[in-house]
Amino acid sequence: MPKTYDNNNNEEVLDEEPKNIILAMISQLGTNMDLSRVTLPTFVLEPRSFTERVSDFMLHPDILVESSNTTDPIQRFILIVKYYMSGWHIHPKGVKKPYNPVLGEFFRNDCQIDNKSKFYFVSEQVSHHPPITAFTNYCPDEGIYIKGDMRPRGKFLGNSVSVHLGGSSEIFLSKHDERYSINYPNMYTRGVLFGKMVLEMGDKAHITCQKLDLIYKVEFKTKGFFSGQYNEVAGKIKRISTDEVLYEVSGNWQHKMTITNKKTKVSEVLFDSSTEHITKLNVADIDNQEDNESRRKWRHVTKALANRDLDQATEEKTKIEEEQRESIKERKIKNIEWKPRFFYLGNDEKYHPKLEFSSLTGDKSENNSKVQNFIFSKP
C-alpha cells in the first residue's frame, strides 16, 4: 500500500503519487462542498464498511452490564459515561475512511460475556442520500437495549475535511427504567493539501438522563497550531436542575482518561485502553452470509486491498457502486418504494428497530429467542 505511518496512530504521511491523486480530486471541489457523492480513491479506504465500523461501540459491553447491575444511580451514570468514552479509541491506524454502505446493506453479530450475558447487534444502511446507518443492540439477559442512527456529512474545508456525525442514540436500562440520550462529536482530517494527514475528534457532545437529573457534557479538543495535544477531552457530570458539577473527566480518549470528584478532589482512572478487555464479536463466515451483508458484499474489494492490488480493488468497488445505481434506477422506473428490513422511520424522524424493546416482556429465554429470530432469521 503506497503510504507510511508516523508513530502516532492518528497520523499518516502519504507518498507523492497518492498525494497527487487527492490533490487532483480536491481541485474539482469547492469549499464547503458535501462529500457524500464524491468517489474516493481506494488507497484511503479502511477495509470494512461503515455498517461494521459503528459496531466498535459494542466492544466493551461488560461496562454496560456493570452499570445495569450497580445500585448507586450516580455510579450507574458514570459507567454509562465510561462506556461512551470507550468507543472512540478503536480505529484504523493512520487516516482511513470505511466503505460507503449501499442501501439495504447490513452487518450483524453477537457476543457473550463470561459465558453468561449475550448481546445481539445489527446495523443497516437505511438511506443512501443522505447516508444514514441505523443500529440496535439487545441484551435480554440484562435488560439492556440500545438504538440509534449515525448520519455522517462530510465537507471539504480547504486543508481539512470535516465529518459531522449527526444522529443520536439511546441506551435503555430496563432494570431501572432509565433512558440515556446520546449524541456524537465531529471528526476532522487535517493536512489534506499539505503537512501530515491527521485524524482528530472535535467539538462537543453529551449524555443526558432526565430521570437521574444528570448530564455529561464533553468537549473533544483539537490540537492548536502551537500548543495542546492530540485526542484531549474535558468533560463534566452535572445536575441538570442546579448545574452543579459533580465530577470532571480529563485525559486522552485514545489512551487514558481520569475522573475527579469535585467535592473530595479524589481522582481515579475512568478508562485505560491498554488494560480494558475488548470483547470478541461473533460474525458468520462470509460463505454463510446473505448477499447484502457487509463482509460478503465487499469481500472482493477487501481481498484486493489485502493483496495491495489497488486496480482490482477499484474495479470491484466500481461494480458495487454501479449495481446500486442500477437498482435505484429500476425501482424508480417501476415505482417501487424501498423499505428497510430491520428498522422503520418514526414520526420523530428517527429510525427505530422493528422489534420494539417494549415487546420484550417475557422471560429471558423467550426474549432471547425473539431477538435471535429478528436479527438472524432469513426474510
Side-chain angles (χ1 to χ4, degrees):
M1 201 70 70
K3 49 176 71 67
T4 56
Y5 295 105
D6 200 287
N7 289 332
N8 189 307
N9 282 341
N10 294 3
E11 295 185 355
E12 184 169 353
V13 182
L14 293 180
D15 293 339
E16 278 304 309
E17 181 182 355
K19 190 82 169 182
N20 289 336
I21 293 174
I22 288 182
L23 290 174
M25 180 188 72
I26 287 176
S27 68
Q28 304 172 42
L29 305 178
T31 302
N32 288 323
M33 180 177 177
D34 185 351
L35 297 181
S36 64
R37 298 176 184 271
V38 175
T39 301
L40 294 175
T42 51
F43 64 80
V44 303
L45 293 177
E46 176 187 0
R48 59 175 178 162
S49 176
F50 189 77
T51 52
E52 181 172 353
R53 180 79 174 269
V54 298
S55 69
D56 287 351
F57 277 92
M58 312 306 161
L59 295 177
H60 295 288
D62 52 309
I63 302 174
L64 284 174
V65 174
E66 184 181 357
S67 176
S68 180
N69 292 328
T70 297
T71 56
D72 182 271
I74 294 180
Q75 290 303 312
R76 268 201 311 278
F77 189 88
I78 289 173
L79 285 164
I80 294 294
V81 169
K82 177 181 179 179
Y83 170 77
Y84 175 76
M85 299 305 295
S86 75
W88 302 106
H89 76 96
I90 302 167
H91 59 81
K93 191 174 183 180
V95 179
K96 296 289 189 300
K97 181 185 182 301
Y99 308 140
N100 287 330
V102 300
L103 189 65
E105 177 187 331
F106 62 93
F107 177 77
R108 55 189 176 181
N109 64 66
D110 62 41
C111 67
Q112 199 156 13
I113 302 173
D114 299 329
N115 295 319
K116 295 178 182 177
S117 305
K118 199 161 189 177
F119 282 78
Y120 307 87
F121 172 86
V122 64
S123 60
E124 181 179 15
Q125 194 69 7
V126 293
S127 174
H128 187 63
H129 289 305
I132 302 175
T133 305
F135 56 88
T136 186
N137 201 11
Y138 300 84
C139 181
D141 294 328
E142 301 289 343
I144 300 170
Y145 306 109
I146 302 173
K147 63 180 178 181
D149 61 51
M150 282 193 172
R151 309 182 181 213
R153 299 196 310 274
K155 286 187 177 182
F156 171 57
L157 301 175
N159 192 39
S160 64
V161 171
S162 73
V163 178
H164 174 71
L165 290 177
S168 62
S169 59
E170 180 182 88
I171 299 173
F172 177 51
L173 303 183
S174 63
K175 289 181 182 178
H176 309 282
D177 192 28
E178 292 170 356
R179 297 179 184 273
Y180 298 79
S181 301
I182 297 169
N183 70 355
Y184 320 111
N186 300 320
M187 304 176 72
Y188 297 90
T189 299
R190 315 289 191 187
V192 175
L193 299 180
F194 53 87
K196 294 178 181 178
M197 290 181 67
V198 180
L199 175 67
E200 290 191 280
M201 306 300 299
D203 306 318
K204 298 177 180 180
H206 66 260
I207 303 172
T208 304
C209 181
Q210 294 291 344
K211 182 176 180 179
L212 295 183
D213 190 33
L214 293 172
I215 186 169
Y216 171 63
K217 294 184 177 181
V218 59
E219 180 181 3
F220 291 77
K221 296 184 176 182
T222 56
K223 185 179 181 298
F225 284 109
F226 304 107
S227 63
Q229 301 291 326
Y230 288 122
N231 310 330
E232 287 188 321
V233 293
K236 295 179 179 179
I237 296 176
K238 296 179 167 185
R239 289 286 183 195
I240 298 173
S241 57
T242 64
D243 207 37
E244 177 191 3
V245 178
L246 305 179
Y247 291 86
E248 291 186 343
V249 174
S250 61
N252 183 301
W253 56 258
Q254 183 171 298
H255 300 298
K256 183 189 289 187
M257 291 164 282
T258 59
I259 184 167
T260 302
N261 186 311
K262 284 292 287 180
K263 283 186 177 179
T264 65
K265 308 300 181 185
V266 173
S267 298
E268 58 184 337
V269 174
L270 176 69
F271 182 82
D272 184 343
S273 62
S274 68
T275 60
E276 292 285 345
H277 172 70
I278 293 178
T279 300
K280 179 185 176 182
L281 303 182
N282 302 311
V283 183
D285 292 338
I286 287 176
D287 290 343
N288 296 324
Q289 291 185 10
E290 295 180 32
D291 289 341
N292 237 22
E293 289 194 60
S294 295
R295 290 187 182 179
R296 184 174 179 85
K297 172 67 70 175
W298 294 94
R299 65 192 184 281
H300 299 307
V301 181
T302 301
K303 182 178 179 181
L305 289 175
N307 292 334
R308 300 171 180 252
D309 188 341
L310 296 184
D311 291 338
Q312 183 67 29
T314 300
E315 182 179 332
E316 296 294 344
K317 177 172 173 285
T318 301
K319 285 181 185 177
I320 293 173
E321 292 165 347
E322 286 297 327
E323 286 174 3
Q324 174 164 241
R325 292 188 191 100
E326 287 302 315
S327 64
I328 291 173
K329 189 185 301 182
E330 184 178 352
R331 283 196 300 272
K332 190 173 183 180
I333 292 172
K334 295 181 178 179
N335 197 28
I336 297 173
E337 180 185 2
W338 180 86
K339 291 185 179 181
R341 172 171 166 181
F342 298 98
F343 299 88
Y344 71 93
L345 184 62
N347 294 329
D348 56 1
E349 296 301 314
K350 295 181 180 180
Y351 283 91
H352 303 271
K354 290 182 179 179
L355 178 61
E356 299 281 4
F357 304 154
S358 59
S359 69
L360 301 175
T361 55
D363 60 28
K364 291 180 181 180
S365 177
E366 180 184 341
N367 289 339
N368 273 286
S369 294
K370 284 183 179 180
V371 174
Q372 287 182 49
N373 289 333
F374 170 62
I375 293 180
F376 296 106
S377 293
K378 291 187 177 182

